[in-house]
Amino acid sequence: MLPVPELAGRTAEQFVHELGITELPVDPIAIAEEELGIHVEAKPVSRKGVSGMLLRLGEEYAIVYATHIRSEGFQRFSVAHEIGHFKLPGHIDHIFDGGKTVHESRAGFASGDPYELEADHYAASLLMPDPVFSKEMNRVGDGLEAIESLSTACRTSLEATAIRYVQRTDLPAAIILSAGQRINYCFMSDPLKEVEGLEWIRKGMPVPAGTATERFNADPANVTAAERLDDTTSLMDWFGGEWDVQLEEEVKGLSSYGKTLTVLYSYEGFDPEGAEDNANLEESYVPRFRKR
Ligand SMILES: [Zn+2]
């Protein structure tokens, strides 16, 4: 069985399929209002970190999305997150438990609450559903440029698109969000997770010394001006381990957000186990040659 967040993503993709949507971008407001009969309203929400709300009045529902972050991608993600609460099994019962009528959300993979996280995964897959997303991904290539193209096609934030990209790519890749010289989070692609002996990056760890990201973050003006820096780095510099593999390191300032997005990837898959197999193969051939 799939882990629960991935199941939430599949639920969203199933819904997109049922709606007959085969093109990007997906419009979450139209889905809420026209398909689900949920009224959607934009409102300034002053409470810190609140991205949106789902309101219940008897059997009627309304979505309010916060406008304090003026990013269209963030607002669309917030609406999609609330649709997740509406559609995912068990969410309505949980969030309106005990006769509550208002649920405040903190969307954007910032919450540790499993219901919030599930709704985030639902939102990501609703706005960037497969197979459409992967098809577009194959067309636009790799790395930060691909993420920027996908973000335009899906009308999603660069950050949310980067997370989705790294879930879907076949390359060894990671995306890292940092502020100052601290790491907020890191998401790794499956091919990278499979590499043995890596030290996974944790929240709060310092940005590794000598990397382009460290140089970039040393001047806050780079973030404010949404500058970009491309370089190469080593897998070891970021993840330790024994594999001295060169990676692309592409860094971009998220100006309105005050954070830095780093994309690490290798054009070629590297397969330590495969390399070992080849080594064994060679060894096993040598004695045979010698016998002749
Ligand atoms: Zn929520």
Side-chain angles (χ1 to χ4, degrees):
M1 199 169 144
L2 289 165
V4 176
E6 273 157 50
L7 216 56
R10 293 287 176 91
T11 308
E13 286 173 347
Q14 181 59 33
F15 186 44
V16 169
H17 178 72
E18 281 165 24
L19 294 173
I21 295 169
T22 55
E23 276 175 29
L24 300 169
V26 175
D27 183 350
I29 296 178
I31 291 176
E33 293 197 318
E34 289 157 30
E35 306 291 342
L36 301 171
I38 301 174
H39 175 67
V40 181
E41 218 178 294
K43 241 188 192 170
V45 177
S46 50
R47 214 188 309 261
K48 198 173 180 284
V50 173
S51 59
M53 291 185 261
L54 185 62
L55 314 176
R56 182 183 198 173
L57 268 164
E59 287 312 304
E60 298 281 307
Y61 293 87
I63 289 172
V64 171
Y65 65 93
T67 50
H68 64 285
I69 295 183
R70 278 178 215 286
S71 141
E72 191 205 13
F74 179 77
Q75 295 176 1
R76 285 161 45 84
F77 193 90
S78 301
V79 174
H81 173 106
E82 302 306 333
I83 294 175
H85 285 316
F86 184 78
K87 291 286 286 180
L88 284 166
H91 278 236
I92 289 287
D93 287 345
H94 172 77
I95 64 181
F96 297 121
D97 185 34
K100 287 192 200 97
T101 56
V102 179
H103 167 74
E104 287 186 343
S105 286
R106 288 169 168 79
F109 298 97
S111 169
D113 181 310
Y115 285 88
E116 291 304 274
L117 219 52
E118 255 187 62
D120 282 338
H121 280 277
Y122 185 98
S125 294
L126 188 76
L127 299 174
M128 296 171 272
D130 260 346
V132 203
F133 182 80
S134 288
K135 215 166 107 189
E136 183 67 12
M137 203 169 94
N138 290 337
R139 208 178 60 81
V140 295
D142 305 305
L144 183 55
E145 246 153 69
I147 293 169
E148 283 175 330
S149 299
L150 290 163
S151 142
T152 305
C154 300
R155 291 163 72 185
T156 40
S157 71
L158 214 52
E159 189 195 353
T161 315
I163 295 172
R164 186 75 176 138
Y165 167 84
V166 91
Q167 285 174 346
R168 279 284 162 262
T169 182
D170 295 331
L171 301 178
I175 61 118
I176 292 131
L177 202 76
S178 60
Q181 300 297 5
R182 290 278 149 196
I183 289 169
N184 290 160
Y185 62 65
C186 168
F187 284 86
M188 297 156 83
S189 69
D190 285 339
L192 186 60
K193 283 183 196 165
E194 281 160 17
V195 177
E196 278 180 34
L198 299 188
E199 295 158 28
W200 289 23
I201 294 171
R202 291 184 317 276
K203 187 185 164 89
M205 274 171 60
V207 172
T211 60
T213 306
E214 188 202 38
R215 293 202 307 277
F216 186 90
N217 286 358
D219 183 359
N222 287 330
V223 181
T224 323
E227 293 291 346
R228 174 169 173 168
L229 180 63
D230 290 0
D231 201 352
T232 54
T233 187
S234 161
L235 180 69
M236 279 174 136
D237 285 348
W238 286 89
F239 296 98
E242 293 172 2
W243 306 100
D244 189 16
V245 179
Q246 181 178 298
L247 300 176
E248 306 299 315
E249 179 175 0
E250 297 171 350
V251 190
K252 168 103 181 168
L254 307 177
S255 53
S256 61
Y257 195 40
K259 309 218 170 179
T260 300
L261 175 68
T262 302
V263 184
L264 304 175
Y265 64 102
S266 163
Y267 282 113
E268 286 174 21
F270 45 92
D271 178 10
E273 271 178 43
E276 225 164 79
D277 286 349
N278 282 340
N280 290 342
L281 214 60
E282 273 169 36
E283 275 169 28
S284 66
Y285 276 128
V286 175
R288 240 186 280 166
F289 275 117
R290 278 186 188 149
K291 270 183 198 164
R292 279 184 192 177

